[in-house]
Amino acid sequence: MFSPYRLTSFFHFFILVFGFVLLIARIGPTLPTAVAMLFLSIVLFARLTQYEFRRFAFWVFLIIPMSFLFGSIFYFLYLEQIWLMWMVTIVTTVGIWLYAENLYAFYHAPKKYQPYSLEYLSLALGVFAIFFFSAAAFGSQLFLQVEVYIPAIAIFLFGCALIISIFWVSKIDHSLSIRYGIMGALILTELYVVLSFLPVSYQVNAVTLSVMLYSFIGIARAELLDKLTKPVLRRYILLGSISLLVIFLTANWT
């Protein structure tokens, strides 16, 4: 039997492609278009999760994709290169489409749901979300001369909500999720403040924050799920070290 919820991912795809094309072509006012994209996406995800406002799961499954979408639109507004605009458009549209597809399967077609799909997707969207949002935050300091404490507070709140949601999706206890979420957000905020004083590209700084978020969530989640072994720890340390080396070289070239 066909379910009307099945069309949610299609509507997301159409709305985002249409909205980003309007932004790229500079057709119509920018801010109303961006707000309309966010609003319609919120409505679609709320409908997909059956408007269960009183359940914590509803807010978690809304925060993760909306953080990703909001960060990408915020970052998009600072871009000038057309190819980069299209890259953000593709990444954002595909990411939201995949999340909507898996959320549909989780809620309405559990036999088709692949175990751990939402966990992995939440982590991937979370890393992209912090990159987009922090790049736009660094850009606001550079282009709009915003005082550092304003985006720092925004980074803390954004990171805290995102990390708590990712941990909750990973089936980690709610109280532990909050504790580690605050801890991770503080680390991100401190790193953001430090990087904001360095003469480095705002996009390179954003990649550094993304690597930090990925490493923190990976190690903390493995520890909380009793899966933190020496090979796992070495993997995250090696990945983080290689990523930071690449970032350092890129910063020198730019």
Side-chain angles (χ1 to χ4, degrees):
M1 182 177 178
F2 178 77
S3 172
Y5 296 105
R6 190 68 186 84
L7 296 174
T8 302
S9 56
F10 168 77
F11 286 134
H12 263 120
F13 184 87
F14 174 77
I15 289 169
L16 294 182
V17 170
F18 183 72
F20 276 117
V21 168
L22 290 180
L23 292 176
I24 292 173
R26 303 186 186 279
I27 300 175
T30 299
L31 186 58
T33 302
V35 172
M37 292 168 62
L38 288 168
F39 175 76
L40 292 174
S41 187
I42 289 173
V43 171
L44 287 173
F45 273 116
R47 181 177 178 273
L48 187 60
T49 51
Q50 301 176 328
Y51 303 105
E52 296 176 329
F53 302 107
R54 297 184 179 181
R55 293 188 58 194
F56 188 73
F58 169 85
W59 298 104
V60 167
F61 290 134
L62 189 63
I63 286 173
I64 293 173
M66 287 302 97
S67 298
F68 172 66
L69 180 57
F70 177 78
S72 66
I73 294 176
F74 189 22
Y75 174 63
F76 184 93
L77 298 178
Y78 286 92
L79 299 178
E80 295 180 352
Q81 300 92 338
I82 295 296
W83 70 268
L84 196 51
M85 292 181 182
W86 280 111
M87 186 66 68
V88 172
T89 299
I90 293 170
V91 170
T92 304
T93 304
V94 172
I96 293 293
W97 177 78
L98 284 174
Y99 199 86
E101 281 282 297
N102 283 274
L103 197 59
Y104 162 78
F106 182 78
Y107 267 86
H108 306 285
K111 291 183 179 180
K112 297 181 180 180
Y113 176 72
Q114 295 294 324
Y116 305 109
S117 297
L118 284 175
E119 285 89 333
Y120 294 132
L121 267 175
S122 297
L123 177 58
L125 294 191
V127 172
F128 273 108
I130 203 67
F131 168 77
F132 290 142
F133 188 78
S134 61
F138 283 117
S140 66
Q141 284 187 252
L142 179 63
F143 301 119
L144 303 179
Q145 300 299 309
V146 177
E147 295 291 339
V148 66
Y149 71 89
I150 297 177
I153 293 174
I155 287 289
F156 174 79
L157 297 175
F158 189 87
C160 190
L162 200 56
I163 295 171
I164 291 173
S165 299
I166 293 173
F167 280 162
W168 188 91
V169 173
S170 301
K171 301 179 179 62
I172 295 172
D173 182 73
H174 186 56
S175 60
L176 289 175
S177 298
I178 294 176
R179 189 184 310 168
Y180 276 76
I182 295 174
M183 185 190 309
L186 283 173
I187 294 173
L188 286 178
T189 305
E190 291 172 357
L191 183 59
Y192 175 87
V193 173
V194 171
L195 291 174
S196 65
F197 291 103
L198 298 179
V200 182
S201 166
Y202 68 97
Q203 300 192 71
V204 173
N205 287 342
V207 174
T208 305
L209 280 182
S210 303
V211 172
M212 176 60 70
L213 178 71
Y214 177 78
S215 301
F216 174 81
I217 290 179
I219 295 174
R221 187 169 62 175
E223 178 189 359
L224 293 173
L225 295 175
D226 295 325
K227 296 180 180 179
L228 185 61
T229 59
K230 288 185 178 180
V232 172
L233 185 59
R234 283 199 297 265
R235 183 183 68 189
Y236 281 107
I237 292 176
L238 179 62
L239 178 62
S241 301
I242 294 174
S243 301
L244 291 176
L245 178 60
V246 172
I247 293 169
F248 175 75
L249 295 175
T250 304
N252 284 340
W253 290 338
T254 56

